Amino acid sequence: MITFCGTCDCGCPELFLDDAAPPERRVVLTDDFGQRVRMILAQLKVLVDDVKDGALDKVVTAVV
């Protein structure tokens, strides 16, 4: 399990693998409101690669 932030007690977003889930729902990403997104490991890899390539930089820069 990976907790993003973790410096507070607000229910920080988390990423983990649910080994009991079917492969297409194994990767679980929760937000600080308890909502969940489930995906396959290949989708997570694409997401991580896009983040590394700066895809989210445009979104964050537009908001800030």
Side-chain angles (χ1 to χ4, degrees):
M1 179 180 309
I2 299 169
T3 301
F4 302 96
C5 178
T7 59
C8 59
D9 196 19
C10 64
C12 300
E14 296 176 331
L15 175 69
F16 63 94
L17 299 179
D18 181 354
D19 293 329
E24 66 275 7
R25 298 177 50 85
R26 189 145 300 149
V27 178
V28 183
L29 177 63
T30 64
D31 67 12
D32 48 342
F33 300 106
Q35 299 298 309
R36 293 180 173 210
V37 173
R38 291 181 170 262
M39 65 186 84
I40 62 175
L41 201 51
Q43 288 172 312
L44 176 62
K45 183 181 178 333
V46 170
L47 178 65
V48 169
D49 289 345
D50 286 350
V51 169
K52 286 180 179 179
D53 288 340
L56 289 182
D57 293 341
K58 297 172 193 166
V59 174
V60 173
T61 302
V63 174
V64 175

